[in-house]
């Protein structure tokens, strides 16, 4: 684990001791006024629809929110976020969106990562710089590239390489850490293989996956953020033979 990561964790501990849980008044107001109305408006879910969703391997990532990099954990984020939406409006890829009750009734409208809409830019740290409450702590880009907010889950049976016997590889092409790589499958086909140790949960693979309505690869939330291993850099040897003349 790098010194910079330890420094970031140290700053988090100091911040956690200084910053109070600032949205208790908001929580009480929601419970007494807004939430009863929302309860009446929410659609009912019958057992048949739940069974259908489970039968088709509906991904659990949509049931558990993924909090942005720098927020340390879902609990830390939800306790301090006031749903001001500065992070939402500042996000260049628009992957952050207001949630409904993903964080619980008291977390109404707190932002979450929405990989159906977009993905988290590997180099971007803007949300960590604009948060006024400490719900998202400042990150530099080097640290952010190892913050693991979730892990990719691949459902082989839903992949179009299996279902349609067609080439794809969109998830691997968009993965910034190469946690998703293509390996031999059948005949000339290749299929994704996930190394979750170097996955940061950015959602690029999920967003790029063409399978609808249930993605064949999606990100499961890390309730407490982890640090991913650095991907191994492979040295590319030049293929030029010194005995040959230059072709120009």
């Amino acid at each position: 684990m790098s010194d910079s990561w330890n420094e970031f964790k140290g700053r988090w501990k100091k911040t956690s001791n200084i910053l109070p849980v600032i949205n208790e008044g908001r929580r009480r107001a929601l419970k007494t006024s807004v939430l009863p109305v929302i309860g009446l408006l929410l659609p009912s879910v019958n057992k048949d629809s739940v069974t259908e969703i489970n039968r088709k391997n509906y991904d659990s990532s949509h049931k558990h929110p993924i909090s942005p990099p720098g927020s340390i954990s879902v609990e830390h984020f939800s306790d301090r976020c006031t749903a001001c939406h500065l992070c939402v409006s500042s996000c260049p890829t628009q992957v952050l969106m207001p949630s409904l009750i993903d964080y619980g009734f008291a977390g109404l409208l707190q932002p979450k990562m929405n990989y159906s809409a977009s993905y988290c830019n590997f180099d971007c740290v803007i949300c960590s710089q604009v948060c006024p409450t400490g719900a998202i702590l400042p990150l530099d880009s080097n640290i952010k590239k190892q913050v693991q907010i979730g892990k990719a889950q691949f459902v082989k049976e839903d992949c179009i390489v299996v279902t349609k016997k067609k080439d794809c590889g969109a998830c691997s092409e968009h993965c910034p850490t190469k946690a998703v790589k293509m390996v031999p499958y059948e005949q000339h086909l290749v299929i994704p293989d996930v190394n979750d140790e170097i996955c940061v949960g950015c959602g690029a693979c999920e967003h790029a996956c063409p399978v609808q309505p249930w993605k064949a690869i999606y990100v499961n939330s890390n309730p407490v953020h982890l640090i991913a291993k650095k991907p191994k850099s492979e040295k590319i040897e030049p293929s030029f033979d010194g005995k040959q003349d230059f072709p120009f």
Side-chain angles (χ1 to χ4, degrees), residues 65-120:
I66 301 176
S67 61
S71 60
I72 300 294
S73 68
V74 169
E75 181 180 6
H76 175 273
F77 178 72
S78 185
D79 282 348
R80 289 164 176 79
C81 176
T82 59
C84 71
H85 294 170
L86 278 174
C87 59
V88 175
S89 61
S90 300
C91 179
T93 60
Q94 295 296 287
V95 68
L96 283 167
M97 67 166 288
S99 65
L100 189 55
I101 55 172
D102 301 67
Y103 294 99
F105 287 118
L108 182 68
L109 299 181
Q110 290 179 341
K112 68 172 184 176
M113 310 294 273
N114 177 19
Y115 297 143
S116 296
S118 191
Y119 61 94
C120 183

Side-chain angles (χ1 to χ4, degrees), residues 36-57:
V37 177
I38 294 176
L40 295 175
L41 297 176
L42 288 176
S44 60
V45 179
N46 58 57
K47 292 183 179 180
D48 291 337
S49 64
V50 172
T51 302
E52 184 70 8
I53 288 172
N54 290 337
R55 187 180 68 82
K56 295 184 177 181
N57 295 319

Side-chain angles (χ1 to χ4, degrees), residues 6-35:
N6 288 329
E7 180 183 351
F8 173 67
K9 292 288 283 185
R11 285 193 285 114
W12 165 68
K13 290 179 180 179
K14 291 180 181 178
T15 306
S16 298
N17 292 330
I18 296 172
L19 289 174
V21 176
I22 59 178
N23 57 356
E24 283 302 318
R26 178 173 174 272
R27 290 169 182 259
R28 286 193 294 270
L30 287 171
K31 288 177 180 178
T32 57
S33 59
V34 180
L35 297 182

